[in-house]
Amino acid sequence: MLTPSAPRLYFALLLGAFTGCTTAGGVSLRSDGSPGPEKCPEEALKAMQILGLGVGDGGGVELDVNQADDSPITLYEGPIESSLNYSLGPLSPATRLYGRVWAGGPQVVIRYYEAHPPNRTKIPICAVARLARGQMKKRPESKPGTAILEYSSAGVFVVDAFR
C-alpha cells in the first residue's frame, strides 16, 4: 500500500526526469481510417514504470471534459482532453488525460499521450479508451471527422504500444 508521501516521491522523480509533450504526429492510417500501430515513446514507458502502471491497469474516464455526463456526445477528430473518474494507479480522479481522437473508422479510437494530475506536472503515458460490446462504435448519423457516441464515459487502459 502506498503511503501518502509515496505519490509525491514518484511525481518529484518524474518532474526531474521528464519535460515536454509527446504527440501522435506521424501515425499511419489503415484503409478504414483508423490509426495504425504506434510505439509507446521510451520516456512514457519509463514514467509508467516509475508510477507502477502496468499494461492492462485501468480506470474510468470522462471522454470529453466539455461534455461530461451528456448523452449522446460528439467527438471531433484531433486533440482531446479527458478526465479520470477513478484512480489509475497513483493518478487521482480529476487527472486530465490528453490525447488524440481518430474518427475515420467504424469505431472511434482515442489514444492518450499525457496525464496531468491536479497540482502536478504533466507525465508522458500510453493509454487507450475502451468500451465493451462495440460501444465505441460511431452512431450512423456521425458526419465525416466526427464520432457521435451514446455514452460520455469509458474505461481507460494502460498499454505499452498502440496496436
Side-chain angles (χ1 to χ4, degrees):
M1 184 164 162
L2 292 176
T3 64
S5 62
R8 288 188 204 132
L9 174 61
Y10 291 132
F11 291 117
L13 289 170
L14 288 170
L15 174 62
F18 305 106
T19 59
C21 173
T22 304
T23 64
V27 175
S28 62
L29 296 180
R30 295 183 170 106
S31 60
D32 70 355
S34 62
E38 179 184 8
K39 290 183 178 182
C40 184
E42 193 62 37
E43 63 269 13
L45 293 171
K46 287 178 186 174
M48 293 186 305
Q49 182 180 19
I50 290 170
L51 289 171
L53 292 172
V55 172
D57 287 351
V61 66
E62 196 64 41
L63 293 171
D64 182 347
V65 295
N66 296 312
Q67 299 180 74
D69 297 324
D70 286 351
S71 179
I73 64 167
T74 301
L75 300 180
Y76 297 91
E77 183 119 3
I80 189 166
E81 179 183 9
S82 302
S83 180
L84 284 178
N85 290 331
Y86 307 103
S87 294
L88 176 60
L91 300 175
S92 64
T95 293
R96 300 293 197 203
L97 298 179
Y98 298 98
R100 187 176 191 311
V101 173
W102 283 269
Q107 296 196 66
V108 66
V109 175
I110 303 172
R111 294 178 178 175
Y112 295 108
Y113 301 95
E114 285 185 328
H116 192 182
N119 303 313
R120 305 283 184 214
T121 60
K122 290 181 181 175
I123 302 163
I125 63 165
C126 291
V128 295
R130 289 190 181 132
L131 280 173
R133 298 186 181 105
Q135 293 179 11
M136 293 291 280
K137 191 175 287 187
K138 301 181 324 186
R139 289 179 35 169
E141 64 268 27
S142 298
K143 292 182 171 43
T146 68
I148 299 174
L149 298 177
E150 193 62 40
Y151 303 102
S152 66
S153 59
V156 61
F157 296 91
V158 173
V159 296
D160 61 0
F162 300 103
R163 293 170 176 84

